[in-house]
Amino acid sequence: MQNPVFIPGPTNMPEFLRKAVDVPTLDHRSAAFAEVLKPALAGVRQVIRSADAEVFLFPSTGTGGWEIAITNTLSPGDRVLAARHGMFSHRWIDLCERHGLDVEKIEVTWGNGLPADRYAAVLAADRDHRIKAVLATHNETATGVVSDIAAIRHALDAAGHPALLLVDGVSSIGSMDFRFDDWGVDIAVTGSQKGFMLPPGLAIVAFSPKAMAATETARLSRCFFDIRDMGRSYYFGLYPYTPPVGLICGLKEACNFLLAEGLENVFARHTRIADGVRAAAAAWGMPLAALSPELQSQTITAIRTPAGFNATDIVTRAAQVYDTAFGTGLGELAGKVFRFGHLGVMSDLTALSGLAVLEMCMADLGLPVRLGSGVAAAQQVYRTTAAPVLKQAA
Ligand SMILES: *Cc1c(COP(=O)(O)O)cnc(C)c1O
């Protein structure tokens, strides 16, 4: 039997979604394909809470989604504003620079969130509106830090600034509160293998009407990722090339599943699981990379190990001895943290098993952690917050 994974993506796949992806060959020029594509697009729109965003599904990943966002809306030399507060925001900045954009960077201590006040100051000072887009990583998967996107929107509005707001929601959409319309997001980016619990392979992007308008004047080079080609085909329920039909079938079912559970319930479920994992870290006497409680992500917990200890040894041992995958520290947190991904279908039972494996690894490696201490702390959270089980539709 295969153990569950505790990496922050790809996440565990529920059996019914594995089956949903496994479809016989389907002619993508048939009416049957349109009957899958349209509900998948509508489902994503509901999950991100938007009334009129245009959703596009590309054969790619979240990283490709970043490229779709910038190449469709920006031109060479355009200035963009971005904060670097972890490995994913760093990579997005790198991708922009490689595309010839002029990135104004706000350096933030890893473990902190996006500094809305500093965004506000830069935007207010940019009186001739040279900044064309503001980049924001909603949930920094490297540090387990969630940021306040509404506050970034507020910074733009307070400055009367017309820049587009481009948001990386790869490790938050479908698992944590995400409000495309309320937060005035212009482009949201995610992938199939995180909150949607599917195999990797789809970049899922949503464009606001304002972002759609920007695609007409953008001059960065784009071809495969041109959303105008995609949009024209979607009108007829078609694709400009061969679509990843199985993944799109899966996405339709994943959206149905999340919406049937109710987004508020999905988010509460993630919070509850995260609370247990955090309680375990506290019992081990290990601080989180997130520097204050309101920054703690509901989908990923990055846990710091004692100075002088290589946190990656825990991850290596878990893989080699206990056949269980956890996330390592990335970039400047390499060796300092290990990461527990608890997004997707994670249950209390699954989370407890992951915590138990971590304790075995820590004990094996000589860390002064008492077996069962973190598990007991999480059990205490789970038993006091357990709700009657609702039978899930098969
Ligand atoms: C996983 C992740 C990405 C990269 O997505 P890929 O699908 O691996 O390309 C980007 N941003 C965040 C926040 C992520 O968690």
Side-chain angles (χ1 to χ4, degrees):
M1 199 177 123
Q2 208 205 306
N3 289 331
V5 297
F6 301 93
I7 46 178
T11 63
N12 298 294
M13 291 184 282
E15 192 62 19
F16 77 95
L17 285 182
R18 288 184 64 183
K19 289 183 180 149
V21 169
D22 183 1
V23 289
T25 303
L26 178 66
D27 175 8
H28 59 278
R29 306 210 171 273
S30 67
F33 175 68
E35 278 166 30
V36 178
L37 177 63
K38 291 198 168 160
L41 299 173
V44 171
R45 200 175 298 121
Q46 276 182 275
V47 168
I48 62 170
R49 303 203 210 237
S50 178
D52 55 6
E54 300 266 6
V55 176
F56 301 96
L57 310 174
F58 283 85
S60 185
T61 71
T63 306
W66 290 335
E67 185 156 317
I68 294 163
I70 65 159
T71 58
N72 278 286
T73 55
L74 300 170
S75 298
D78 274 357
R79 181 168 292 180
V80 304
L81 174 63
R84 172 157 43 208
H85 65 311
M87 199 62 193
F88 292 89
S89 41
H90 167 75
R91 284 190 189 145
W92 199 6
I93 289 170
D94 177 56
L95 184 135
C96 288
E97 289 180 333
R98 290 206 242 165
H99 274 284
L101 296 172
D102 171 16
V103 186
E104 173 142 2
K105 295 176 276 280
I106 301 177
E107 299 294 345
V108 177
T109 309
W110 289 27
N112 252 326
L114 297 175
D117 51 341
R118 290 168 68 192
Y119 274 84
V122 173
L123 290 166
D126 182 37
R127 293 222 174 70
D128 358 318
H129 300 159
R130 294 206 42 219
I131 295 169
K132 300 299 177 206
V134 170
L135 272 46
T137 300
H138 181 212
N139 191 66
E140 192 25 283
T141 313
T143 56
V145 164
V146 61
S147 288
D148 185 352
I149 300 301
I152 305 296
R153 163 48 63 197
H154 184 74
L156 279 156
D157 291 350
H161 203 293
L164 296 168
L165 175 57
L166 314 187
V167 179
D168 174 338
V170 182
S171 62
S172 57
I173 289 172
S175 310
M176 286 164 50
D177 195 19
F178 191 96
R179 298 170 179 269
F180 190 92
D181 286 0
D182 289 356
W183 297 344
V185 175
D186 288 303
I187 302 182
V189 174
T190 188
S192 48
Q193 80 280 20
K194 297 199 179 173
F196 289 111
M197 305 162 283
L198 293 166
L202 283 183
I204 301 165
V205 293
F207 279 56
S208 72
K210 186 169 154 191
M212 290 303 293
T215 64
E216 297 305 329
T217 51
R219 284 180 291 102
L220 277 181
S221 93
R222 59 189 143 141
C223 174
F224 183 78
F225 281 155
D226 196 325
I227 63 156
R228 292 170 301 179
D229 295 331
M230 196 65 100
R232 276 191 286 270
S233 301
Y234 279 5
Y235 184 76
F236 301 102
L238 296 172
Y239 245 68
Y241 39 76
T242 317
V245 173
L247 284 170
I248 296 171
C249 291
L251 183 61
K252 173 184 155 210
E253 293 307 324
C255 292
N256 285 345
F257 174 73
L258 293 170
L259 295 166
E261 182 176 353
L263 293 175
E264 294 304 337
N265 297 328
V266 171
F267 305 151
R269 174 163 61 76
H270 281 81
T271 302
R272 176 170 174 268
I273 298 300
D275 282 342
V277 174
R278 292 174 200 140
W284 298 330
M286 294 179 181
L288 306 187
L291 291 170
S292 61
E294 78 282 2
L295 296 170
Q296 292 168 2
S297 161
Q298 318 298 3
T299 59
I300 292 108
T301 302
I303 301 172
R304 281 187 187 273
T305 51
F309 180 87
N310 182 2
T312 303
D313 289 348
I314 295 175
V315 178
T316 307
R317 187 155 184 95
Q320 291 180 348
V321 179
Y322 302 106
D323 191 20
T324 308
F326 292 89
T328 57
L330 302 175
E332 60 182 65
L333 290 178
K336 298 193 174 122
V337 305
F338 62 90
R339 293 177 304 141
F340 192 123
H342 35 78
L343 66 166
V345 281
M346 190 74 40
S347 66
D348 41 14
L349 179 144
T350 316
L352 289 168
S353 69
L355 295 171
V357 169
L358 287 170
E359 288 181 346
M360 291 194 284
C361 296
M362 293 177 196
D364 295 349
L365 294 164
L367 280 172
V369 159
R370 193 162 44 78
L371 286 179
S373 57
V375 170
Q379 284 172 319
Q380 203 53 31
V381 170
Y382 297 150
R383 60 189 285 271
T384 52
T385 55
V389 175
L390 297 174
K391 276 270 172 265
Q392 288 164 2

